Amino acid sequence: MRYAKCIIIPDDEGLHPVDKRIADHPDVDRELLHNVNLLDDESIVTIYQFSGDRTALEPILQDSSMVCKYQLSGVDDVIHAYIHVKPYDKLVGLLSMLKKFEFIFDTPLEFTRRGGLCVTMIGDVQSFQNAIPDVPDGIRLKLLKTGSYEPNTDRLYSQLTDRQQEILRTAVDMGYYSVPRAVTHDDIGTELGCTGGTVGGHLRKIESKLLSQIVP
């Protein structure tokens, strides 16, 4: 098996009108896309992970004629959303291309700071080459790297946001999890240019997210 890691970069209209409206809201951040499926009627089912204000997100979903149904869950400012949306040619074209060439996503997919979607597609070399002409208009693929695919233990780590990964790496490197503990939240905050309280809040969310998936 081979993989291609790339960034899906949509034009200014976005991948889907609902996704675009959410992306444009200042109080909601798209973090991860845990699943996306194209149904037989060309409607699309997604499972998002957002951060931010749930009361800002819900009116977008309630008011959009492109939303068939949705459900929200989560704690604090982490929001998980099941969203079933109506067909939209650009996204249908992209998902149809991936289905045609039998690609598999290594989930979750991560939204970049510039609004793209970082994906790892698993398939064979010939499929990657043949798929390029089928990329729909309004979407650009930026290839990051390719190689032989081997499942690994990065899946939990990949569920963290870029900022959470940065804070966790810094905490580990500075000795926060050493015994005895070598640094404080304030020390890490000084290194990262933020407050110790911000570091502590992020680390609690990181630990909650990772440990809840490890402990049976």
Side-chain angles (χ1 to χ4, degrees):
M1 290 184 294
R2 301 285 293 177
Y3 77 89
K5 186 173 183 178
C6 61
I7 298 178
I8 298 173
I9 305 172
D11 59 18
D12 291 341
E13 295 179 358
L15 288 174
H16 191 281
V18 177
D19 183 75
K20 174 65 173 171
R21 285 193 62 192
I22 295 170
D24 288 344
H25 200 289
D27 296 329
V28 180
D29 289 319
R30 300 169 303 163
E31 303 287 358
L32 301 172
L33 190 58
H34 288 281
N35 210 339
V36 54
N37 285 322
L38 180 65
L39 304 185
D40 290 341
D41 62 358
E42 295 192 339
S43 63
I44 300 126
V45 174
T46 62
I47 299 178
Y48 278 88
Q49 180 177 316
F50 301 107
S51 63
D53 187 354
R54 176 171 174 159
T55 62
L57 173 63
E58 196 149 13
I60 296 175
L61 303 177
Q62 286 178 340
D63 298 342
S64 175
S65 62
M66 296 292 288
V67 175
C68 302
K69 58 183 176 180
Y70 72 91
Q71 295 181 17
L72 302 180
S73 64
V75 295
D76 298 326
D77 63 347
V78 177
I79 309 163
H80 292 95
Y82 164 92
I83 308 175
H84 182 187
V85 295
K86 294 181 180 179
Y88 186 66
D89 286 348
K90 189 187 304 180
L91 185 53
V92 169
L94 176 64
L95 295 175
S96 297
M97 181 268 286
L98 296 171
K99 184 177 181 179
K100 173 182 176 181
F101 293 99
E102 301 179 350
F103 293 130
I104 297 174
F105 283 134
D106 190 11
T107 56
L109 317 182
E110 182 178 357
F111 289 95
T112 69
R113 292 181 179 178
R114 295 187 177 183
L117 190 60
C118 186
V119 304
T120 298
M121 297 185 296
I122 305 162
D124 61 74
V125 173
Q126 192 62 48
S127 294
F128 290 132
Q129 294 172 346
N130 293 340
I132 297 302
D134 281 30
V135 176
D137 292 339
I139 292 177
R140 181 166 60 91
L141 295 184
K142 179 181 179 181
L143 182 64
L144 300 179
K145 60 181 179 179
T146 63
S148 297
Y149 177 77
E150 295 291 342
N152 55 45
T153 58
D154 290 344
R155 187 176 301 275
L156 287 177
Y157 185 70
S158 69
Q159 293 183 33
L160 303 178
T161 67
D162 287 348
R163 183 59 168 165
Q164 288 175 335
Q165 290 179 3
E166 179 185 25
I167 288 174
L168 181 58
R169 282 197 305 268
T170 303
V172 170
D173 290 345
M174 293 181 67
Y176 180 76
Y177 291 102
S178 300
V179 181
R181 182 165 288 167
V183 294
T184 65
H185 291 165
D186 288 337
D187 295 328
I188 300 169
T190 299
E191 178 70 17
L192 293 171
C194 61
T195 67
T198 297
V199 169
H202 276 293
L203 289 177
R204 284 190 294 274
K205 291 178 183 177
I206 291 167
E207 291 161 2
S208 175
K209 183 181 295 185
L210 298 184
L211 291 176
S212 65
Q213 297 186 61
I214 295 173
V215 178

